[in-house]
């Protein structure tokens, strides 16, 4: 962000507001639907609409970004989110809300894709982890505050949506203060066929780095979309669910910047290996402490402190091993991986807790984290070696 000293801070502030709206929306709608008697499977399906919007829009994002620049894509995405949030109180209908979440998915993806690519392309390698950890930190701050809006539904169903829409509108206005910039030119950009080729090239270089964003997407959506349902059925109060979700987000806030700095010093792969294993341990412990609110609080806080940084560290790891001309594609695939994880979180989680009541919700999460831990241990180092050998060839 060469044209403004304040551009970075404006961008991460916008991301914080986006995190607030996402952190509010998932548990809020889940609780409203649960109280309305909608099944956990249908509840999870509604939550996936946001991520379906992300997936369907992804193949069409890169060309507009290169043509219109970062600022204009952020403006379009932000406006879409503001309008969709404002429309929620108009009609409490399952399919209408599903459609609104679909458009929020498109808007949020445009906003995050543009801000992510802007930050990664302009950050030097020595401070990349720090900058992306600040990106994740501000998102986490917003996401931590979001679930606290859930109890407001007892005052007015419309109130949380109005607050979120108004905050997004304020943030959207600040984008006009930025000077537009564009990604690095690439002559290979053409139609969808060229986009497919670039996807293949980016997957070749960085497929391992896309797994942490996938894990974070699964974690975020299942914790905020399905865990409230699981918790309410286990006798946990709505206010306690809100505190648990906030504790996870606060844990991510506490360690986001330190972990980013550590990744700059010791390497992204090593830090990812450690935090994924500790995340597996935290959620495994939670499965034995479901009857204790204090025990769950400690597990959620500790889990957030380690795996709350998987998304930003995954992006930083991807940037390390991806050729610079493929960075927009790599960021796009990080978003797609996040969406795939987010889609499987509510849908698989909702079906499992409905069909297999003896299986703990926490077993699903811990199994995923351990699986990705193993993949990065085995293949993560090899990816960096392969890229280094191709550069020297």
């Amino acid at each position: 962000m060469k044209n403004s000293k304040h551009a970075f801070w404006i961008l991460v502030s916008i991301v914080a507001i986006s995190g607030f709206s996402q952190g509010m929306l998932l548990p809020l709608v889940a609780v409203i639907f649960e109280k309305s008697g909608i099944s956990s499977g249908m509840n999870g399906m509604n939550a996936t609409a946001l991520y379906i919007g992300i997936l369907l829009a992804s193949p069409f994002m890169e060309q507009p970004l290169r043509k219109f620049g970062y600022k204009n894509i952020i403006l379009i995405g932000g406006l879409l989110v503001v309008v969709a949030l404002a429309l929620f109180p108009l009609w409490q209908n399952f399919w209408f809300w599903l459609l609104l979440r679909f458009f929020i998915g498109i808007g949020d993806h445009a906003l995050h894709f543009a801000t992510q690519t802007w930050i990664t392309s302009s950050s030097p390698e020595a401070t990349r982890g720090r900058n992306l950890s600040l990106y994740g930190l501000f998102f986490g701050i917003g996401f931590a505050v979001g679930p606290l809006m859930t109890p407001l539904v007892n005052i007015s169903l419309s109130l949380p949506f109005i607050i979120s829409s108004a905050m997004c509108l304020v943030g959207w206005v600040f984008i006009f203060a930025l000077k537009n910039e564009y990604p690095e030119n690439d002559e290979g950009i053409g139609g969808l066929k060229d986009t497919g080729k670039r996807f293949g090239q980016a997957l070749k270089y960085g497929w391992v780095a896309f797994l942490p964003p996938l894990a974070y997407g699964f974690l975020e959506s299942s914790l905020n979309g399905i865990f409230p349902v699981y918790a309410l059925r286990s006798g946990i109060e709505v206010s306690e669910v809100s505190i648990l979700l906030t504790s996870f987000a606060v844990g991510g806030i506490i360690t986001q910047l330190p972990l980013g700095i550590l990744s700059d010093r010791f390497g992204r792969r090593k830090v990812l290996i450690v935090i994924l294993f500790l995340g597996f341990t935290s959620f495994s412990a939670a499965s034995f402490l479901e009857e204790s609110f204090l025990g769950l609080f400690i597990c959620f806080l500790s889990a957030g402190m380690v795996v709350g940084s998987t998304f930003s560290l995954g992006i930083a790891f991807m940037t390390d091993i991806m050729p610079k001309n493929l960075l927009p594609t790599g960021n796009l695939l990080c978003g797609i991986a996040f969406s795939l994880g987010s889609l499987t979180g509510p849908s698989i989680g909702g079906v499992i807790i409905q069909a297999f009541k003896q299986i703990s919700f926490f077993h699903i999460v811990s199994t995923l984290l351990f699986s990705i831990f193993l993949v990065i241990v085995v293949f993560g180092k090899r990816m960096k070696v392969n890229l280094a050998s191709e550069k020297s060839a």
Side-chain angles (χ1 to χ4, degrees), residues 33-34 36-45 94 229 233 350 354:
F33 281 163
E34 175 68 9
S36 300
I38 293 174
S39 70
S40 61
M42 291 290 286
N43 208 327
M45 185 185 80
F94 179 90
V229 177
R233 293 182 180 182
Q354 185 172 329

Side-chain angles (χ1 to χ4, degrees), residues 46-65:
N46 193 280
T48 63
L50 187 144
Y51 307 106
I52 292 172
I54 295 175
L55 284 174
L56 292 181
S58 290
F60 307 98
M61 284 284 182
E62 187 173 357
Q63 287 177 273
L65 181 72

Side-chain angles (χ1 to χ4, degrees), residues 6-322:
H6 306 294
F8 176 80
W9 298 108
I10 290 175
L11 290 177
V12 295
S13 298
I14 295 300
V15 167
I17 296 172
S18 174
F20 170 82
S21 66
Q22 288 188 36
M24 178 208 74
L25 196 61
L26 284 167
L28 176 65
V29 175
V31 167
I32 291 172
F33 281 163
E34 175 68 9
K35 288 188 172 183
S36 300
I38 293 174
S39 70
S40 61
M42 291 290 286
N43 208 327
M45 185 185 80
N46 193 280
T48 63
L50 187 144
Y51 307 106
I52 292 172
I54 295 175
L55 284 174
L56 292 181
S58 290
F60 307 98
M61 284 284 182
E62 187 173 357
Q63 287 177 273
L65 181 72
R66 292 181 182 273
K67 182 176 180 180
F68 300 111
Y70 300 115
K71 174 182 173 179
N72 292 326
I73 298 301
I74 295 172
L75 284 172
I76 293 169
L79 182 61
L80 196 55
V81 172
V82 169
V83 173
L85 284 171
L87 291 176
F88 268 90
L90 294 184
W91 188 21
Q92 186 183 341
N93 175 272
F94 179 90
W95 297 108
F96 180 61
W97 281 17
L98 184 145
L99 184 65
L100 291 179
R101 292 173 101 167
F102 174 81
F103 284 115
I104 287 176
I106 296 174
D108 261 333
H109 186 43
L111 188 153
H112 283 282
F113 171 50
T115 53
Q116 248 174 241
T117 309
W118 204 344
I119 292 171
T120 55
S121 62
S122 60
S123 298
E125 186 172 356
T127 58
R128 186 173 295 143
R130 171 190 170 277
N131 287 351
L132 284 169
S133 68
L134 284 169
Y135 170 91
L137 173 62
F138 274 67
F139 180 85
I141 291 171
F143 206 85
V145 177
L148 295 178
M149 297 294 106
T150 303
L152 293 180
V153 74
N154 296 322
I155 300 174
S156 169
L157 186 144
S158 302
L159 185 58
F161 298 109
I162 293 171
I163 292 173
S164 182
S165 180
M167 290 183 65
C168 289
L169 179 61
V170 171
W172 182 77
V173 170
F174 277 96
I175 295 297
F176 286 96
L178 298 178
K179 184 174 181 179
N180 198 17
E181 292 186 20
Y182 296 81
E184 185 173 300
N185 289 329
D186 194 316
E187 295 179 358
I189 290 293
L192 285 177
K193 185 176 180 181
D194 290 324
T195 299
K197 289 180 180 178
R198 293 172 63 79
F199 275 24
Q201 290 176 329
L203 283 168
K204 174 186 173 184
Y205 286 115
W207 67 270
V208 170
F210 301 138
L211 295 179
L214 182 145
Y216 186 77
F218 186 99
L219 202 55
E220 177 195 278
S221 64
S222 58
L223 282 179
N224 290 278
I226 291 301
F227 175 70
V229 177
Y230 180 82
L232 289 174
R233 293 182 180 182
S234 301
I236 300 175
E237 298 294 328
V238 172
S239 59
E240 292 178 332
V241 173
S242 178
I243 293 171
L244 289 174
L245 294 177
T246 301
S247 70
F248 177 84
V250 168
I253 291 169
I254 293 170
T255 57
Q256 188 85 222
L257 185 56
L259 286 174
I261 294 172
L262 284 173
S263 75
D264 285 330
R265 182 173 180 182
F266 297 107
R268 246 66 73 178
R269 175 179 171 270
K270 291 178 182 178
V271 174
L272 280 168
I273 286 172
V274 172
I275 66 174
L276 285 167
F277 184 78
L278 292 176
F280 156 74
T281 304
S282 298
F283 282 114
S284 295
S287 68
F288 296 102
L289 298 169
E290 294 188 20
E291 301 298 320
S292 167
F293 174 73
L294 178 61
L296 285 177
F297 177 84
I298 293 171
C299 289
F300 270 68
L301 180 64
S302 60
M305 292 176 70
V306 287
V307 295
S309 299
T310 48
F311 185 75
S312 59
L313 287 176
I315 295 172
F317 187 34
M318 177 277 299
T319 307
D320 290 343
I321 62 179
M322 191 71 64

